[in-house]
Each structure stands twice: as structure tokens, then as C-alpha cells.
Amino acid sequence: GTISDAATGLMWMKVDSGALNGGAMNWGEALQWSEKLNYAGHGDWRLPNVKELHSIVDFSRSLKTTNSAAIDPLFKPTVIKDEGGRNNYPFYWTSSTHLNLRSAGSADYIAFGEALGWMKDRRTGEYTLLDVHGAGAQRSDPKSGDNSRFPYGHGPQGDVIRINNYVLCVRGGEATLKSTGPRIEKVKKSNRSGRKAPQGESQQGRKKSGKGMNMFMSRLDKNGDGKIGKSEFDGPKNRFGRIDKNGDGFITIDEAPQGPPKKR
């Protein structure tokens, strides 16, 4: 019931949580389930970190090329129904938190099937479910919540949001349990762009120069990456093109309006 990797010294479960009545679960539940698991005579199983889980991705395999998950056939991953009702393979949680500029509310997973996304046709407004990132892709999901809030995914590629993902446990290695970590610095609302003010330049001076965060960016930059994509913009399409002066498909702090549109 186990597979040992001579290259890393790690021992893996041969099956995932779907075969052990655990099924799909959110991140907190995945941590608890892993730590309480007794399987194949061992009780020290845990959730792998993202580097450990990446080490068993087999990029020569995929649903489209080999009709399998992107993993050695010694493993027996659960077959699931994806958002399009087709047979697919799970996203597997890792213990690694995905930190962005706003919070630590998401965690990384690896897609061993298709890394799906809802792509919107700008002419018709229709959405198509596509494998936008490919087997073996690393992405992240909220650690908890309701996936119905994301009917057409999140981000420019409409990344599918499941929140409840599967678990493939590991044991061994050098990982140790820590209850504390490095201090996370909160970014001030007036400087969420992440730009540090040069010596002698005040926050007020940055606001006047247009280099600080403004209400336009604060309202529309939903994923906190410091830029606004077309999927985040809620104004007229032709206005996006006028604001995106360099035509790279994103509005940055240097291009963002510093106040309301002028009255005509």
C-alpha cells in the first residue's frame, strides 16, 4: 500500500483520500486528516509540501497524451468528474501556504489531471472550460470557503476554484512541525503596490505624484498582484484600452487614473 522513492527518501501512499473515504476536503481538514491517518502500519503521515509533491509529477503523462494522471502508474489516483462532467484527476493539496499582498488565506496544490480554467469569449461573452495550465501545474485555492462564489473561476484564465481538494499523504524526510513562523508585515492601504518610498519622500508626496496606491487600484485589483487585468476591470471595454497605454493587457499604478473621469 505504499511507494518508496529512493531519490528523495520519502514514502507515499499508493492511493489517495478518495480511496480511504476521505474524499475531497478543504485545507484545514486535509491537515487534520493527514495527521490522524493510520495507514499501512504507519501513523506518522502528513501533508507534503509543494516541493515534495512536485517531485512525483511525471510530465511525460497527461490525460490527453496517455489518458492518465501526470504520475507514475504505480500510484492509483481517484478518477473524478470535473466541472464539465468529464472524467479527470484531482488537485492534491500541499502544506505550503500561498502568500499574496493581502493575506495568507490560500494554499498551493498540484494538478495531476487537467489544470482547468473558464476562458471567456470577448465577442460572445460565452465561457469555455479549457486545460489552461496543463498537467503538473502548481496553483492555489482558498483554504476554506464556498466555491459557488466562483462560478467561472478566478483570474485572467478563469482558474477553476474547488476549495475541496484531494490528499496524497507522505511520510519521512526532514520536515518538522512548527507552530510559529516569520512575522508577516502588513502592507499599508496607501502603499499596496509594494513600492517603497525613497528616503525623503513622504506618503503624501507619493499620493500627489500618482505613484502611491489610489482608489481605482484598490477597488479593482481583486487578486492583489499590483495590476488590473481585463477580467477585473468593470468599466467599458474601450475605456480599458485607453487606460492601458502600453497595450500589455494590464493597467498598472503608473497608468491608473488618479481621480474620477472628467465630465464632458
Side-chain angles (χ1 to χ4, degrees):
T2 66
I3 298 172
S4 295
D5 189 341
T8 62
L10 297 173
M11 178 184 285
W12 297 88
M13 294 165 47
K14 194 172 189 176
V15 297
D16 58 34
S17 57
L20 301 177
N21 299 320
M25 59 195 87
N26 67 34
W27 189 73
E29 294 167 342
L31 286 173
Q32 293 182 10
W33 187 84
S34 301
E35 292 173 8
K36 293 179 180 179
L37 181 65
N38 280 287
Y39 173 76
H42 300 287
D44 57 349
W45 296 98
R46 58 181 174 83
L47 206 57
N49 65 45
V50 71
K51 290 185 178 181
E52 290 171 331
L53 192 56
H54 242 152
S55 73
I56 58 171
V57 174
D58 184 345
F59 287 103
S60 70
R61 299 178 180 275
S62 72
L63 191 62
K64 290 181 180 178
T65 59
T66 57
N67 196 31
S68 68
I71 196 171
D72 191 287
L74 287 171
F75 291 89
K76 305 300 178 186
T78 296
V79 177
I80 64 170
K81 291 291 183 182
D82 64 25
E83 287 69 19
R86 300 168 298 185
N87 286 345
N88 217 315
Y89 293 96
F91 301 160
Y92 286 139
W93 276 126
T94 77
S95 61
S96 302
T97 289
H98 182 87
L99 181 66
N100 61 31
L101 294 176
R102 293 182 177 178
S103 71
S106 296
D108 291 327
Y109 67 80
I110 304 293
F112 280 84
E114 293 177 316
L116 298 169
W118 292 99
M119 296 296 289
K120 184 177 181 179
D121 189 315
R122 290 182 290 178
R123 294 173 298 173
T124 65
E126 295 181 354
Y127 289 87
T128 303
L129 189 63
L130 300 173
D131 183 12
V132 295
H133 296 290
Q138 174 186 330
R139 300 195 296 185
S140 64
D141 259 354
K143 293 178 177 178
S144 62
D146 181 5
N147 64 357
S148 67
R149 293 178 52 237
F150 307 92
Y152 292 108
H154 179 70
Q157 294 87 14
D159 291 357
V160 163
I161 300 294
R162 291 180 181 165
I163 299 178
N164 291 329
N165 295 315
Y166 284 70
V167 176
L168 185 65
C169 291
V170 70
R171 62 183 297 270
E174 299 297 325
T176 56
L177 182 64
K178 290 186 177 182
S179 58
T180 60
R183 185 172 67 90
I184 298 175
E185 294 185 8
K186 292 185 178 180
V187 179
K188 294 182 180 180
K189 289 184 178 180
S190 59
N191 187 27
R192 277 171 47 199
S193 64
R195 175 182 176 270
K196 292 183 179 180
Q199 286 186 337
E201 182 182 348
S202 66
Q203 291 283 343
Q204 188 64 27
R206 290 217 324 275
K207 288 181 180 179
K208 289 181 180 179
S209 66
K211 298 299 184 181
M213 178 56 67
N214 59 26
M215 291 300 294
F216 181 89
M217 295 292 292
S218 176
R219 181 172 66 85
L220 295 181
D221 182 19
K222 296 180 176 61
N223 61 5
D225 63 354
K227 56 187 178 182
I228 298 168
K230 292 181 180 179
S231 62
E232 297 172 304
F233 186 71
D234 61 1
K237 292 181 180 179
N238 59 349
R239 178 166 167 76
F240 183 94
R242 291 199 301 268
I243 300 173
D244 179 21
K245 296 180 177 60
N246 61 5
D248 65 350
F250 294 97
I251 297 172
T252 61
I253 185 65
D254 294 322
E255 298 170 316
Q258 299 301 312
K262 295 180 180 180
K263 292 183 179 181
R264 299 196 176 191

